[in-house]
Each structure stands twice: as structure tokens, then as C-alpha cells.
Amino acid sequence: MSPQTCWHCGEPTLATIPIHVEIAGESRTLCCHGCVAAAQWIQQLGLWDYYRLRTGPARKPSTSPDDDRRTNIAWSRPDANQHVVRKAGNGHSETMLLVEGVRCSACVWLIERVLGAVPGISSVQVNAASRRARIVWDDSRITLTQILDLLSRSGYRGLPLNSQSLDDSRRRESRDALKRLLVAAFGAMQAMMFASVLYLGAIDATDTSTRQLFRWLGFLAATPVVLYSARPFFAGAWRSLQARQPGMDVPVALAIAMIYAASLFEAVRGNGHVYFDSVSMFVLFLLAGRFLEMRARHRAGDLTDALARLTPPFADRLVRDGTVERVSVHELAVGDTVLVTEGSIVPADGLLLSAACRVDEALLTGESSPQARSRGDTVIAGSTLIDGPAQLRVLRIGNDTALAGIATLVSRAHAQRPQLAQLGERAASRFVIRVLALTALTIAFWNYVDPSRAFAAALAVLVVSCPCAFALAVPAAITRAISVLARHGVLIVKPDAIQSLAAATHVVFDKTGTLTDPHLSLSDVSTTSRVTRQSALQLSLAIARASRHPTARAIVAACGDLKCDPQDSASHVIALSGFGLRATVDGREVRLGRADFALGSAEVLPTDDCVVLADDAGTLATFKFSERLRTGAREAIAGLQAQGLQVAVASGDAIAKVASIAAAVGVTTWRGRLLPADKLAWISAMRAAGARVIVVGDGVNDAPVLAGADVGIAQAGGADIAQASSDVVLVGGRLEALPLARQIAQETLTILRQNQRWTMLYNFTAVPLAAAGMVHPWLAALGMSLSSVCVLLNALRIGRRSDRNPVVHAPPVTAGNLPQGCVV
Amino acid sequence: MCRLNILLIMIPLSALLIVGAAVAFFWAVDHDQFDDMDTPALLPLDDSPQNGSEMQ
């Protein structure tokens, strides 16, 4: 086996025979016909530059193009179509697609070229960060199905999103914020410039008319800032007053209005200090803080929205005349007969009509080994059919299914969780109220001592203490932490997760799919005396690579790890669904599969995790499979324990399996056979005892716990509902990033506290001086800006330490150390 | 006094420039220029002719 990789998708060309195709004058090696078709199609369009521009390999095209095609056709059914397409007027339609396989800007380039050149498509906008494409087309010239087909041909997969995602309140919000920020920046610059003339006395100080001119110029520069840029604060204050729940906006709006009005009063009077520069900068800093927050929120929203808005999948319904039609799950009714193919997901709870099948319920229950079902048994929605095809009669649909029950549990758990986000807001609000009280005190004091100085001193207090640094401290630190963590493969979905992450005391891991690999792995090979271990593996590899069955793939993967070449003489490999594979090797028949099938006798009982290689003379070799520990699981747990966290394992799987995995990772607290509700109860009990709990999981059954924990961490490859109910998503299942993530979270909190302490210190020094009437306007403005800059620079220190020592990747745990086979 | 006279020209001029810049920026924001900061970076690098006729 040569270590060649596919030119198109970058996967090793091991699983199938490599294909050499002449493209763009050079011979390229490709792994499958899907890649060949995509590469030739891209070349034919003259878009070969895609391969030059891209920075990573392309998505592997679907292995079942016919199946994709039927799904694409099903999107044109009115029932599915109405949810995802919006009429844009004059015969045009508009939709938002989540495009699977967009990995870099070159993909965007390719998609825009491929679709943009098609007559009938009037607009294509692809965003690489959120993997979304907004497409507008002319109904009379092209259909949604044709557009999805074009994407499929290029190697991508378009998933239409609910048409609500077209209403981009988010885009409007970010445009508005940008404009307000720019006006504030321009206004503040100008106001500062005019004010410095007054401060520095560049103009002859005795020339009162010139001073007066610059006062009015400052007014001119600050007016758009206060009346336009600061409008969100006034609007927010008004709203919260109407709702009788004064928030942070009320004191901020009050301070802006007071400084502006007082300065205007001084300008009219033509005497005393004006603070137009300070009020503009105040607005600028506050807006900058809010802008950073908004960006973080939108990024997180892109991630969760796409998951929550994915419209339901399709099902293959058997029509009376024997044909199969693909309909959306909404259209299914109780009593319908649906056909589920091997490897696809069961669309609704149903009664099995076929003789027997096995289903994988790992995501739903945490059970790691496939479950056998026979005629008359119930199969639940959301489980994956391992060997099929199977026919089901629909028993329950929509909200009545077991899956929907879990979704309800998720929303209930969410509602019970305290919201930390508002705590910071409340602290800042309290601070501003105190400042206002202090201002009132200052006025009262000076009225008593020297009424002529009361106004100036009160104004100075207000300006000096205005919480610019306060407003910037939290968003700057959080934004920096989010970007540092993203670089390490940890996506923060909800920004307040950082605080909870740092404060956590307990970590609970799910087992199946989180600590262990969801794919089976070859754990043991035992051979008979007729073959060597090596030749048994070579023979099995030659047969197994024709199949995509999980056990066949485990054999192929193990052989790849062992650098084992396939024996070339195997031919005529035939897959018998549910039993195994049959092939001809050197003129004799060899079978690989369930024991009863491989040995050709019905008396042998098949076992779930055992595959037999046999010819007509009997057994050649027996393969055993087990789940294997994920890369980095042990390191992650050791790292978290070293940080003083209590680690536990909660799983829905069999007790013995949980025990062995817990022992392997060095965890003493574990529980098995837990239902989603049991897990939630356990976590709630921990939290009631004062623990702050991080939960790491990936399955549907973990979703309620993820939502109910202080921090829910989901794996990016896991179930959609688990990701949607989590606060943090781990990209590429990199568990070893967890200890680092917690470290960065703690660092962030330290910096946050430093920032707040610094702001306090500054205020405690400056406010009394201002109250005593000793602070000049220029000093007040300077102090305000400097304290804000200090806060920003301090925030940039987050993650510096971890950047210098990047994460060291542990070598992957492979099946390389297989025990030597014993003779059966 | 001549120093001040020049100010009377320069200040309106600077204000005019600022207003011009703000108008240009507003126009850019309204014409999708700031909606997607990641994607378009690579797009202008290559400008090969499109073979749209082969599409259908």
C-alpha cells in the first residue's frame, strides 16, 4: 500500500483502488468516483484555479450520489419548500443554505463561480465563516433542486435553512453599530482637537472671542456623537424605565445628557470649562465595548442558529403501488410504512416489519454496542440503522417521539439555569449610580462652601469617573479570550461560559463518543494454525475494503495502522447485508462476517462484537472489536485533576463497560446505566451541594445535562441537539484542549479582576481630587483615555503564555499493539 | 491676526473632509462592504474568464 492521498479530498486512497485521471495535463491520483466526478466537473468549468487557491483538502463528495439527488428533489415538494424559500418579488425566490464542505475562501470562490455563471441565478453570497450561502434565483428559469444538484456535483452539500434565517436583524444591527461607532470616532477626534486648543493655550489666552469660537466648534463636533451615536443608550434607558427595571443604560444616558447639557450651558455663558471632548470619547469607548460584545454574540449565534434552524430531514415512504417516495418528516402520518436504508437515521418511532436488524442507539442512550431488533420490536427515532434495509410502520411522530421528549428535557433544564451574564451588568450599574450620588453630594457640598464652583466641580466628578474603563474591561477581556480559545479548537458559544469554566469544581464526562471513539476498533485477532496473523489480516483487508460497514472499516483502519498491504488476489467481493462479505480468493470462496454466515452453519450463535474469517474448511481467524479510548482523553483528565478538579464519568452504557473505561482514564467516581433524566438528577444533586459542574458530552442523551450544567461542552462531531444546548464546542474532539481552556478562562478572570481593581484605584484617586475642584478638564480627559487604554493592553495579555507553549499533540492511540493471536 | 484668518479657512475645510469621509463610509456600509470580513480576501487574487456556456 502506498501512502498516497486523494488529490481532491486528501483522504488516503486505501479504502478503494486508486484511480489515476488525467486532469489539467497532469495525472492525478483520486480515491473514488465521487472525487473524480467533482474534479472533472471543476476542470470542465475552467475553475481549476480552485486547487491552487485552496488551503486545505476538499470535502469528500457523497458516496451515494443517487441518494443525494433524491433528497435534492424532495426539497422541491411544497411541504418542504415553503419552510425554506422566501418569495422575493417579480418571480424571484431567495433561500439561505448551510453549505457542508466550505473550508476556506477558495471554496467560496468556487461556489460563487459555479453558481454565479448559471443563467437564472441572480445573486450568490457565500460567507466562509458561517458556511452560509444566500442565493436569489428566477423561478421560471431554475429550481431549488437544480441549484442543490449543482452544489452536489461540485462536491458540496447544500442544506436549506429555515427561511427565518433570511430576516437578518443581525446584519442590520452590525451595520448600525459600525456607523454609530465611526461617527463617534470622527466626532471624538475633532472634539479632542478643538479642545486641545483650549487646553494648551495655542491661541492667545486673553483672546476670549477665539476661545468662544473653539467652544462652539467643540459643540458642533460633539452634537452628532450625542444625538446619533449615543441614541442606543437613550433608547435603552427609556425602554428600561418604561419597563420599570432600570439597567446600565439609565445612568449612562443620564451622565451623557448631563455632561452635554452642562457644557452647552457653559458655552452659552461663554465662561468656564466645556467637556465636549470628554462626552464624545465617553460615547466612543462605550460603543467600542458594545461592538466587541456584539461581534462575539453574532459569531456564537452563527454556530447555534445553524443547528437550531436546520429543517427536519426526509423519510422514504412506501406508497401503495410499491414505489418509494421521499417526503419530509412533517408529512409522515401514524401508520405509514417507511423504508430505512443501511447507515441512515430512523425518522420516527416505529414498529419493525422486516425480520431483523441492528440499530446503533449510542447517541440516544449511550449504549455503545449495537442493539438487535426483530420483527415486532420498536425502533426509536434518531437511532442509526446498522444493517438494513428495514421497513417500519410509523407509531409516533413529531412531538410524541422519544427524541422530542429529550428536547423538552433540554428546554426545561435551560430555564432552570441561573443567568450569570447580568451580574457584570448589575455591578457596572451599581457603580454608575454611586457616581451619580457622589456628584449630587459634590454639588451640595460646594453650594454650602462656594456656590460659584459647585457646577464645575460636579461636572469634573462626572467626567473623571465615567465608567469607560469599566465598560471596556469585560468585553475586551472576553473577546480576547474567545479568540485565543478558538485558536486552540475551543469555540465559546455563550460568552459567560468563560466565568463558569474558571469557577468550576467538578467535571463530568459522558463515556460513549466522548471518552471513547464512536467507531469500533479491532482489539483482538486470533488465528487458526492454517494462516499466519499477517496473512489473515491481508486477506481480510482485501475483502473488507469493499464495504463501509463499521466492522469492515475497523479492520481497514487497523490494517492501515499496522502498515499491512491487501492481498491482491481477492476478487468478486459480494456484500450480503446483515451477514457479511463473500469473495473469491485463488479460486476458493472466503467469507468474512457473522459467525453463522462465515462458517455456513446455522448452529453457531453469532455474537455482536465478533467477526469470523472462514473458508469451506472452517475458521481462519476471529476478530474481536471494542471501543477505544479517544486521543487525549487520558491526558485531558490527568490535566484537569492536576488543576484540582473532581472528575466523574456518567454513562448510559452497561456498568462493566463504564467501569473499565473509568479505570483506564484514572477516574474513581462513575455511574452506568443512566437515563438522560438520571444524569440530570445527578448533576442537579452535585450543584445543590455547592459544586460548579462542567459536563462534557456528545450525544442526544447528553443534551439535557449539557443544558443543565454550569458549563456544557459538546464535541463538534456529536449530535446537533447536544451542540445546540452546550456553551462550548470542541472542534475535532480535541479533549486535550480542556485543561488549557480552563487555564485560559482563569487567566481571563484574573485579568478582569486586575482591570476592575485598576479602574477602582483610578477612580478613588481621581474622584476626590475632582470633587475638590482640582482637576482641569484636560486632565480629566487624559485620565479617562489612559485608564481605558491600560484596560485594553492588559486584556491583550490573555493567552500570551499558552501561545508561547502551544499544545503538544500526543501520538494517536492506535490498534498498533494488538496482542499476538492465539491458536484456536 | 493672519494666523487666525487661515484658521477660518482650515477649520471649515477639515469639517468638510470629515463629512465627506463619513458619507463615503456610510455608503460602503450600506453596500455590503463590511458584512463579511473574512471571505472576500482571496476572491480578487484570480480572475480567470468564466466558461458559463458549459454550465447547462
Side-chain angles (χ1 to χ4, degrees):
Chain A
M1 183 195 70
S2 56
Q4 259 178 328
T5 52
C6 175
W7 165 249
H8 182 74
C9 71
E11 281 189 16
T13 52
L14 164 78
T16 43
I17 302 106
I19 308 157
H20 297 277
V21 181
E22 177 115 347
I23 302 169
E26 268 184 73
S27 174
R28 311 282 189 192
T29 309
L30 295 153
C31 69
C32 61
H33 291 286
C35 288
V36 173
Q40 284 179 336
W41 162 249
I42 290 166
Q43 185 203 11
Q44 188 193 337
L45 296 179
L47 298 175
W48 190 248
D49 279 320
Y50 161 70
Y51 290 101
R52 203 165 50 72
L53 295 173
R54 69 179 180 175
T55 52
R59 167 181 182 263
K60 192 180 176 70
S62 164
T63 46
S64 52
D66 293 339
D67 196 54
D68 276 8
R69 171 107 190 98
R70 279 166 57 203
T71 305
N72 291 347
I73 291 171
W75 277 115
S76 287
R77 296 178 66 87
D79 191 76
N81 201 270
Q82 66 177 11
H83 291 293
V84 298
V85 173
R86 189 168 69 181
K87 297 289 168 209
N90 56 30
H92 282 63
S93 290
E94 194 177 13
T95 195
M96 184 75 92
L97 302 179
L98 181 71
V99 187
E100 263 182 24
V102 171
R103 291 182 177 170
C104 62
S105 306
C107 292
V108 174
W109 179 86
L110 183 66
I111 293 169
E112 288 189 350
R113 294 292 158 117
V114 168
L115 293 184
V118 180
I121 296 184
S122 46
S123 149
V124 184
Q125 283 176 15
V126 188
N127 182 317
S130 60
R131 298 188 297 151
R132 287 165 180 219
R134 171 191 291 265
I135 296 169
V136 184
W137 70 91
D138 185 346
D139 282 328
S140 59
R141 300 171 72 185
I142 195 164
T143 64
L144 179 59
T145 300
Q146 284 170 306
I147 294 169
L148 293 174
D149 279 346
L150 283 169
L151 277 174
S152 301
R153 280 191 80 171
S154 315
Y156 299 94
R157 182 154 161 246
L159 297 166
L161 295 175
N162 195 321
S163 52
Q164 277 169 15
S165 54
L166 284 164
D167 295 331
D168 38 16
S169 55
R170 201 181 280 168
R171 186 159 78 165
R172 219 173 314 126
E173 191 189 351
S174 87
R175 283 182 174 187
D176 261 10
L178 253 179
K179 287 180 187 170
R180 291 186 204 280
L181 191 64
L182 179 103
V183 167
F186 275 171
M189 276 194 298
Q190 292 297 303
M192 198 52 167
M193 197 174 77
F194 297 136
S196 61
V197 173
L198 293 174
Y199 296 157
L200 302 177
I203 313 287
D204 189 358
T206 55
D207 187 351
T208 48
S209 68
T210 313
R211 291 184 69 87
Q212 190 60 11
L213 170 71
F214 277 91
R215 281 195 192 106
W216 283 112
L217 283 173
F219 167 77
L220 223 59
T223 301
V225 178
V226 171
L227 295 189
Y228 173 70
S229 295
R231 203 187 304 158
F233 300 112
F234 294 124
W238 181 240
R239 257 200 315 275
S240 67
L241 281 179
Q242 275 183 327
R244 291 175 198 288
Q245 278 175 330
M248 171 83 172
D249 279 339
V250 175
V252 165
L254 210 58
I256 295 172
M258 277 169 66
I259 300 174
Y260 181 72
S263 299
L264 181 60
F265 176 72
E266 295 281 16
V268 171
R269 217 161 54 140
N271 190 9
H273 297 309
V274 292
Y275 293 87
F276 290 121
D277 54 329
S278 301
V279 75
S280 311
M281 287 210 314
F282 181 32
V283 173
L284 173 65
F285 283 129
L286 284 171
L287 281 178
R290 295 222 168 165
F291 187 71
L292 288 177
E293 258 176 15
M294 185 196 72
R295 286 267 298 268
R297 203 176 65 231
H298 284 183
R299 242 204 58 234
D302 276 346
L303 199 74
T304 47
D305 267 25
L307 294 169
R309 284 183 178 161
L310 265 183
T311 38
F314 296 98
D316 288 331
R317 183 165 63 186
L318 215 61
V319 197
R320 260 193 214 101
D321 59 5
T323 54
V324 175
E325 63 169 353
R326 185 156 291 197
V327 298
S328 77
V329 170
H330 282 319
E331 289 177 78
L332 284 181
V334 174
D336 279 352
T337 305
V338 290
L339 196 71
V340 187
T341 53
E342 184 171 310
S344 59
I345 293 169
V346 177
D349 290 3
L351 207 66
L352 188 66
L353 298 177
S354 319
C357 72
R358 285 190 304 161
V359 288
D360 178 1
E361 295 178 350
L363 284 178
L364 284 167
T365 61
E367 185 83 57
S368 61
S369 47
Q371 303 292 299
R373 295 276 184 271
S374 54
R375 195 190 308 273
D377 283 350
T378 308
V379 181
I380 53 174
S383 51
T384 311
L385 197 70
I386 290 187
D387 37 25
Q391 280 190 20
L392 305 174
R393 177 161 341 106
V394 176
L395 282 182
R396 285 181 292 268
I397 46 167
N399 289 335
D400 300 331
T401 59
L403 191 62
I406 293 180
T408 321
L409 210 54
V410 170
S411 50
R412 206 178 310 148
H414 250 310
Q416 285 165 358
R417 184 153 71 165
Q419 295 299 311
L420 273 172
Q422 290 143 9
L423 288 180
E425 180 107 320
R426 235 172 276 152
S429 177
R430 260 201 310 273
F431 174 78
V432 180
I433 288 167
R434 270 182 218 148
V435 168
L436 289 176
L438 201 66
T439 313
L441 267 178
T442 312
I443 292 179
F445 171 77
W446 281 109
N447 256 336
Y448 180 68
V449 179
D450 178 6
S452 70
R453 291 177 65 186
F455 194 69
L459 209 48
V461 169
L462 211 52
V463 171
V464 157
S465 63
C466 260
C468 297
F470 231 114
L472 273 177
V474 178
I478 298 283
T479 306
R480 169 73 184 167
I482 286 175
S483 78
V484 170
L485 285 170
R487 232 181 297 147
H488 291 281
V490 183
L491 297 182
I492 304 290
V493 179
K494 287 160 202 151
D496 51 328
I498 291 179
Q499 266 166 303
S500 329
L501 201 59
T505 55
H506 288 63
V507 191
V508 177
F509 282 92
D510 167 51
K511 183 185 75 74
T512 315
T514 305
L515 287 177
T516 61
D517 207 299
H519 302 297
L520 286 175
S521 99
L522 189 58
S523 65
D524 190 16
V525 186
S526 48
T527 53
T528 54
S529 52
R530 294 194 289 134
V531 285
T532 62
R533 189 164 163 276
Q534 183 73 12
S535 63
L537 279 171
Q538 287 178 340
L539 186 56
S540 312
L541 173 59
I543 301 171
R545 64 182 183 174
S547 167
R548 292 193 72 77
H549 193 275
T551 51
R553 274 154 67 184
I555 291 177
V556 173
C559 291
D561 291 339
L562 293 170
K563 305 267 181 292
C564 183
D565 293 333
Q567 186 174 326
D568 290 330
S569 53
S571 60
H572 302 293
V573 183
I574 298 162
L576 293 160
S577 198
F579 295 101
L581 300 155
R582 183 193 293 148
T584 312
V585 182
D586 297 332
R588 68 197 166 117
E589 191 185 278
V590 177
R591 293 172 297 270
L592 178 71
R594 266 163 60 165
D596 54 345
F597 158 77
L599 294 169
S601 112
E603 287 153 33
V604 188
L605 282 178
T607 46
D608 266 340
D609 44 5
C610 196
V611 163
V612 175
L613 177 73
D615 59 11
D616 289 335
T619 310
L620 288 170
T622 308
F623 299 93
K624 280 193 174 144
F625 300 89
S626 68
E627 24 176 23
R628 66 175 174 188
L629 219 50
R630 243 182 210 282
T631 314
R634 206 174 294 143
E635 292 84 343
I637 288 180
L640 290 170
Q641 282 170 335
Q643 291 184 13
L645 289 165
Q646 303 285 318
V647 182
V649 175
S651 175
D653 206 358
I655 306 268
K657 287 183 179 173
V658 185
S660 78
I661 291 292
V665 294
V667 172
T668 49
T669 320
W670 55 267
R671 286 190 190 180
R673 284 257 167 257
L674 294 178
L675 296 174
D678 298 337
K679 283 192 184 182
L680 191 57
W682 192 25
I683 305 294
S684 306
M686 279 188 191
R687 295 188 58 216
R692 294 289 205 89
V693 188
I694 303 176
V695 173
V696 191
D698 78 318
V700 174
N701 65 323
D702 300 321
V705 220
L706 288 171
D710 290 295
V711 194
I713 302 180
Q715 311 256 30
D720 289 350
I721 187 174
Q723 291 183 51
S725 45
S726 63
D727 313 279
V728 179
V729 174
L730 286 182
V731 181
R734 287 174 53 184
L735 288 173
E736 66 270 29
L738 276 180
L740 182 81
R742 182 159 185 276
Q743 201 182 311
I744 290 177
Q746 283 183 322
E747 210 181 320
T748 307
L749 273 206
T750 313
I751 299 256
L752 254 179
R753 285 206 197 99
Q754 280 175 3
N755 278 349
Q756 278 170 344
R757 227 171 281 145
W758 153 248
T759 323
M760 284 294 180
L761 185 76
Y762 161 78
N763 278 310
F764 275 124
T765 340
V767 170
L769 290 176
M774 287 161 69
V775 174
H776 270 279
W778 64 268
L779 205 58
L782 198 69
M784 189 174 79
S785 318
L786 273 183
S787 67
S788 300
V789 170
C790 284
V791 162
L792 278 180
L793 289 180
N794 201 19
L796 286 179
R797 282 176 42 220
I798 295 171
R800 288 274 291 278
R801 220 181 319 155
S802 61
D803 275 0
R804 249 178 276 134
N805 313 314
V807 199
V808 183
H809 293 286
V813 182
T814 64
N817 315 322
L818 287 178
Q820 286 300 314
C822 52
V823 177
V824 179
Chain B
M1 243 5 239
C2 60
R3 226 171 37 170
L4 287 182
N5 285 342
I6 198 71
L7 272 182
L8 292 180
I9 301 168
M10 296 303 278
I11 287 171
L13 205 62
S14 77
L16 218 62
L17 276 174
I18 286 282
V19 169
V23 167
F25 181 80
F26 272 44
W27 181 89
V29 170
D30 283 334
H31 287 77
D32 304 354
Q33 298 298 308
F34 290 88
D35 286 348
D36 182 0
M37 305 299 285
D38 322 286
T39 313
L42 216 132
L43 301 185
L45 290 186
D46 192 276
D47 222 326
S48 62
Q50 297 175 21
N51 301 355
S53 54
E54 289 175 36
M55 295 293 295
Q56 295 281 308

